[in-house]
Amino acid sequence: MEMKELYELFLQHPTITTDSRDVPEGSMFFALKGDTFDGNAYAISALEKGAAYAVIDEKEYAKESNDRLILVEDVLITLQQLAKYHRVHLGTPIIGITGTNGKTTTKELISAVLKKKYNVLYTLGNFNNHIGVPKTLLQLTKEHDIAVIEMGANHPGEIKTLVEIVLPDFGIITNVGKAHLLGFGSFEGVIRTKGELYDFLRTIQGTVFINNDNPHLLGISDGLKLVKYGQKDAKDLLVKGELVECNPFLKFEWQTSSTLTPQLSTVNCQLSTVNCQLSTVQTRLIGSYNLDNALAAACIGTFFNVPATDISAALEEYTPSNNRSQLTITQDNKLVVDAYNANPTSMRAALDNFRLIKAEHKMCILGQMGELGDVSEEEHQKVIDLLGDCGFEKVWLVGENFAKTAHPAHYRLFANVEEVKAAIATEKPQGYLILIKGSNSNKLVQTVELL
């Protein structure tokens, strides 16, 4: 079947599913493969549950008498190509976002700001991979004014693959840090891969929103049309911000420091004059490291002519609910929950921020960091060394990577989250401010309801 024909079917049946257990009536089922499953085997079941069509890529599952089975060479590639075809057909302006840390929070903040003025499609949760990205694009409709698409990667070339599906008009890399080094090979490999977004935008003369304080990003920005934000003074910033306090919630001031800002009227934006004004924002985000994320959203909102009062209101109203920079208050403790992801860069930022928060009794539960390859031992030791400067009353460490470090005798070591849960059951901490931080694989989020 030609892509044009498949697209016509999609327009008639615009709901996409890849899960045979969740088949909305009249949807299109794409039979994806995984390490432990083959969606082709569930195609007939999906049709029986109400799917209008099932897209498969193995002939043995294609029954000649069933014209609702669509045989293609590769289901995943077909899904991606359909998403790209749809994106081109609609021509909706798209902001592509990637980065080592903060991309999901920044995506949420950008979307919250833009929604004050526009109908926005944005990536839900962290569906930012080779499957989640095309599924998000296929939710675009004519009613959307703009889209914010998050793209993640843990191997070289993955951002290049995604941007060639998304075809963004605008882009932002939140930052680059030491993460997924096992896949990227080195910190330089991280920079090159994230920079694949910049590489694409060069080819179309697209616009990049950039943190002017980040030398790694500025170092790969040659030849790009830049719209800058930052905390340090510079003559060509669109938005400048300054930390007021973070105890525990981030409070900051920001203002437009350029006299020109483009409008959303076309992808090739026109320029108009704006009034520079100072705004104070009290957020519900924990962590001074979120200031850059908030400034990125303010910059993009300003660029697209969202009024400053609406930008500030959106940033104040946003409440994290995804185990990122989230404050949870229980009967016994106050918890800073940042348990979705962890790498050397984000771990240092979390600890640096946590030690500045005022509390009589502090405790941290840290899970080991994954995918660090040959530098894993070194990076976990650096966390231990940093903890030595923090002076926390209690330190609980989870995972064999922390067990291999040289650490003080009073630090508690646990093999896994089950051991932590058992310890909480017998000696529950009370009256503490507790940081819960670690890679998602540690499953530390399971401790929240117990504390």
Side-chain angles (χ1 to χ4, degrees):
M1 180 177 288
E2 295 292 329
M3 182 56 64
K4 184 178 180 181
E5 296 176 84
L6 183 62
Y7 187 60
E8 289 299 323
L9 292 179
F10 165 73
L11 292 178
Q12 298 170 38
H13 306 278
T15 301
I16 299 296
T17 180
T18 58
D19 187 345
S20 62
R21 298 165 298 182
D22 180 18
V23 184
E25 186 69 28
S27 60
M28 295 185 70
F29 173 71
F30 280 73
L32 298 176
K33 295 185 179 73
D35 294 335
T36 59
F37 67 91
D38 183 349
N40 286 273
Y42 302 96
I44 295 298
S45 173
L47 293 177
E48 291 172 347
K49 291 178 180 178
Y53 293 93
V55 181
I56 61 176
D57 54 13
E58 292 187 9
K59 289 183 180 180
E60 63 182 283
Y61 294 99
K63 296 184 178 180
E64 294 182 6
S65 59
N66 195 334
D67 58 4
R68 293 163 61 203
L69 288 168
I70 301 171
L71 182 64
V72 299
E73 187 171 334
D74 186 297
V75 170
L76 176 58
I77 292 176
T78 299
L79 177 68
Q80 294 171 340
Q81 290 177 341
L82 179 65
K84 181 177 181 177
Y85 193 95
H86 180 56
R87 182 267 179 276
V88 172
H89 178 77
L90 289 180
T92 308
I94 292 180
I95 301 170
I97 178 169
T98 190
T100 301
N101 300 306
K103 57 182 175 293
T104 298
T105 298
T106 305
K107 175 260 303 180
E108 298 276 338
L109 294 174
I110 292 169
S111 303
V113 166
L114 292 177
K115 282 194 293 183
K116 288 292 185 179
K117 186 170 183 175
Y118 305 103
N119 186 345
V120 183
L121 174 74
Y122 60 98
T123 303
L124 296 179
N126 67 322
F127 296 132
N128 58 17
N129 65 5
H130 59 297
I131 298 172
V133 166
K135 289 178 71 174
T136 299
L137 285 175
L138 287 167
Q139 296 174 36
L140 268 175
T141 69
K142 293 179 180 178
E143 284 67 44
H144 289 118
D145 299 309
I146 193 167
V148 184
I149 306 297
E150 180 182 338
M151 295 172 287
N154 53 24
H155 286 85
E158 289 184 329
I159 296 300
K160 182 176 187 295
T161 296
L162 294 176
V163 295
E164 289 176 353
I165 299 169
V166 175
L167 305 178
D169 307 286
F170 309 91
I172 175 171
I173 303 174
T174 56
N175 52 52
V176 286
K178 294 180 179 180
H180 306 297
L181 296 182
L182 187 62
F184 290 124
S186 64
F187 179 50
E188 290 71 24
V190 176
I191 296 173
R192 284 194 299 271
T193 300
K194 302 302 182 183
E196 289 166 0
L197 173 58
Y198 284 3
D199 294 340
F200 172 80
L201 289 168
R202 281 190 188 88
T203 67
I204 64 165
Q205 297 183 317
T207 298
V208 165
F209 304 100
I210 191 167
N211 183 349
N212 197 55
D213 302 332
N214 191 312
H216 299 299
L217 297 180
L218 290 174
I220 58 172
S221 67
D222 289 349
L224 288 165
K225 192 188 308 179
L226 302 179
V227 178
K228 300 179 179 180
Y229 61 93
Q231 300 180 44
K232 300 176 182 177
D233 287 327
K235 63 179 181 180
D236 54 351
L237 296 181
L238 177 59
V239 162
K240 180 181 181 295
E242 182 177 345
L243 177 69
V244 175
E245 65 178 17
C246 195
N247 191 37
F249 295 116
L250 169 67
K251 183 177 182 180
F252 70 97
E253 294 178 338
W254 73 277
Q255 64 180 347
T256 55
S257 51
S258 169
T259 56
L260 296 174
T261 179
Q263 301 172 341
L264 182 59
S265 55
T266 61
V267 172
N268 296 317
C269 297
Q270 304 299 313
L271 293 176
S272 63
T273 301
V274 295
N275 295 318
C276 296
Q277 60 187 68
L278 185 67
S279 302
T280 301
V281 178
Q282 175 64 71
T283 76
R284 302 175 190 180
L285 293 164
I286 289 183
S288 55
Y289 48 83
N290 275 307
L291 177 53
D292 286 337
N293 302 335
L295 292 180
C299 178
I300 292 173
T302 302
F303 182 91
F304 289 120
N305 275 344
V306 179
T309 52
D310 286 344
I311 292 173
S312 294
L315 296 175
E316 289 190 337
E317 293 163 4
Y318 174 74
T319 301
S321 58
N322 48 19
N323 297 317
R324 292 175 169 91
S325 304
Q326 187 174 332
L327 180 68
T328 300
I329 300 177
T330 70
Q331 289 184 337
D332 298 298
N333 301 289
K334 292 182 179 180
L335 314 177
V336 177
V337 185
D338 194 1
Y340 187 83
N341 195 11
N343 55 60
T345 306
S346 68
M347 188 71 83
R348 172 172 286 277
L351 290 172
D352 282 342
N353 181 78
F354 187 64
R355 65 176 169 175
L356 295 177
I357 300 176
K358 297 176 182 178
E360 186 175 355
H361 302 289
K362 286 186 184 180
M363 171 182 181
C364 62
I365 303 175
L366 304 183
Q368 66 182 3
M369 302 174 288
E371 299 183 54
L372 293 179
D374 294 339
V375 299
S376 179
E377 185 174 339
E378 174 187 352
E379 293 298 339
H380 281 85
Q381 187 62 54
K382 287 180 180 179
V383 173
I384 297 298
D385 296 342
L386 177 58
L387 282 168
D389 298 329
C390 294
F392 302 142
E393 193 171 318
K394 291 181 181 289
V395 175
W396 289 9
L397 305 171
V398 185
E400 62 179 359
N401 290 331
F402 276 126
K404 296 175 183 177
T405 61
H407 53 272
H410 66 278
Y411 287 8
R412 294 280 299 277
L413 295 175
F414 301 87
N416 51 50
V417 71
E418 295 304 321
E419 290 189 4
V420 177
K421 289 158 66 175
I424 294 172
T426 59
E427 48 185 300
K428 184 176 182 177
Q430 293 181 307
Y432 282 85
L433 178 67
I434 305 174
L435 171 66
I436 303 174
K437 175 72 176 174
S439 294
N440 193 37
S441 58
N442 294 283
K443 301 180 181 179
L444 292 186
V445 69
Q446 295 180 12
T447 66
V448 173
E449 63 182 14
L450 305 178
L451 291 165

